[in-house]
Amino acid sequence: MKVPRVSIEYWLALQAVVEYGGFSQAAEALNKSQSSISYSIGKLQELLPVSIVEQQGRKAELTKAGKLLYQQVKQLIQQANELEDLARTLSQGIEPELKLAVDLLVPRQWLLTSLNQFNNEFPFCRLTLLETSLSGTDEALLFGEADILLSPNVPTGFLGVMLFQIDFLAVAHKDHPLHQQKSPISENDLKKYRQIVIRDSGLKRNQDAGWLAAEQRWTVSHFATSVSCLKEKMGFAWLPVSYIETELAEGIIKPLNLTAGQRRKLPIYMVVRLGDKAGPGAKRLAEVLKSGLSKSA
């Protein structure tokens, strides 16, 4: 192993001299004597095979080699500070990694805004986002693959907090035959046409939420694909309003005039796997999610 000859204290002195514009300013910024700064720069000059600083009147200027080295110095100091921050984080018992299982129903922009806030507070905590649907979301928690769950269901044996509700709307392309029907559309009328449903990501895959048992059924893995299918006049579906706001506003996709059940609401619950025994990172992430998502809903 090669041992560095230059102390990081010397590099820090160089950074301060450059950023604060001189030896005396650097000494004041680092709360050191000017002589100690001069000594550090002198040792750098002595230990390095190239000249890094040259005196221009009363001001020290970087040489060409010094300018190249300085860019690396900034990264070195930043990495050293990040290492110390990480050590402090670990000493507080904050988890190095958290796993979050999120049902596809949860609007992603709201979610990402909250996760970004959490990242600003805990930059060294790695996040794994498991995007799931139906029973797959619950299984992630039950199998210990997720620390926090965002789902329409609260698995047996756990406590959940409701964050908000998702609005669903029965829709089809504006030119779909169902829109040509003059009388309100019944369940039997719907069964004559293809329904687009979301695939269950669970291992058993035994949930068919919202399926009317029609013979014509296409199963897709994401709501965005459902929207694309509808825009191609391939069927009808119940979709979260948040996924089709643009298409509804433009009139490309229209609500179906059903005799009943045109709109549905599904709650979204947050479940923390370890509850009160969760670590500080999981608890804070739960607080951020609860605050951010409930305010945005």
Side-chain angles (χ1 to χ4, degrees), residues 99-101 128 130 136 139-147 203 273:
K99 295 180 180 180
L100 181 65
T128 297
L130 306 173
E139 285 180 2
L141 187 72
L142 294 171
F143 295 164
E145 297 174 354
D147 300 294
L203 294 176
R273 182 168 59 88

Side-chain angles (χ1 to χ4, degrees), residues 195-244:
Q195 183 179 357
I196 311 298
V197 298
I198 293 295
R199 170 183 173 272
D200 189 344
S201 67
L203 294 176
K204 295 182 179 180
R205 299 181 185 173
N206 56 2
Q207 290 190 20
D208 292 308
W211 181 45
L212 295 177
E215 288 300 322
Q216 300 183 64
R217 177 179 73 165
W218 282 9
T219 304
V220 299
S221 297
H222 200 282
F223 286 114
T225 309
S226 297
V227 175
S228 297
C229 288
L230 264 60
K231 291 169 74 172
E232 294 297 327
K233 310 175 189 178
M234 293 176 176
F236 72 93
W238 272 269
L239 292 177
V241 173
S242 61
Y243 277 93
I244 51 174

Side-chain angles (χ1 to χ4, degrees), residues 9 19 28 48 67 100 129 142 150 175 187 203 259 285:
E9 185 177 353
E19 293 187 356
E28 183 178 354
L48 295 176
K67 290 178 181 178
L100 181 65
L129 181 62
L142 294 171
L150 297 182
D175 295 330
E187 182 177 327
L203 294 176
T259 55
L285 177 56

Side-chain angles (χ1 to χ4, degrees), residues 32-57:
K32 292 181 177 291
S33 65
Q34 186 170 337
S35 61
S36 68
I37 297 297
S38 299
Y39 174 82
S40 295
I41 299 301
K43 289 297 294 185
L44 272 177
Q45 299 276 36
E46 177 185 329
L47 294 171
L48 295 176
V50 292
S51 175
I52 56 171
V53 175
E54 57 186 4
Q55 202 69 26
Q56 298 287 344

Side-chain angles (χ1 to χ4, degrees), residues 78-93:
Q78 180 180 349
Q79 290 170 357
N81 286 326
E82 289 176 353
L83 272 176
E84 293 182 10
D85 290 341
L86 176 57
R88 279 192 292 270
T89 295
L90 294 174
S91 71
Q92 295 167 4

Side-chain angles (χ1 to χ4, degrees), residues 14 22 32 56 71 73 76 124 130 136 150 153 162-163 167 171-172 183 215 217 224-225 258 260 263 279 281 286:
L14 175 66
K32 292 181 177 291
Q56 298 287 344
Q71 298 304 318
V73 168
L76 175 65
F124 301 106
L130 306 173
L150 297 182
N153 306 302
M162 194 182 83
L163 298 178
D167 289 320
V171 291
S183 59
E215 288 300 322
R217 177 179 73 165
T225 309
L258 304 187
R263 286 185 175 271

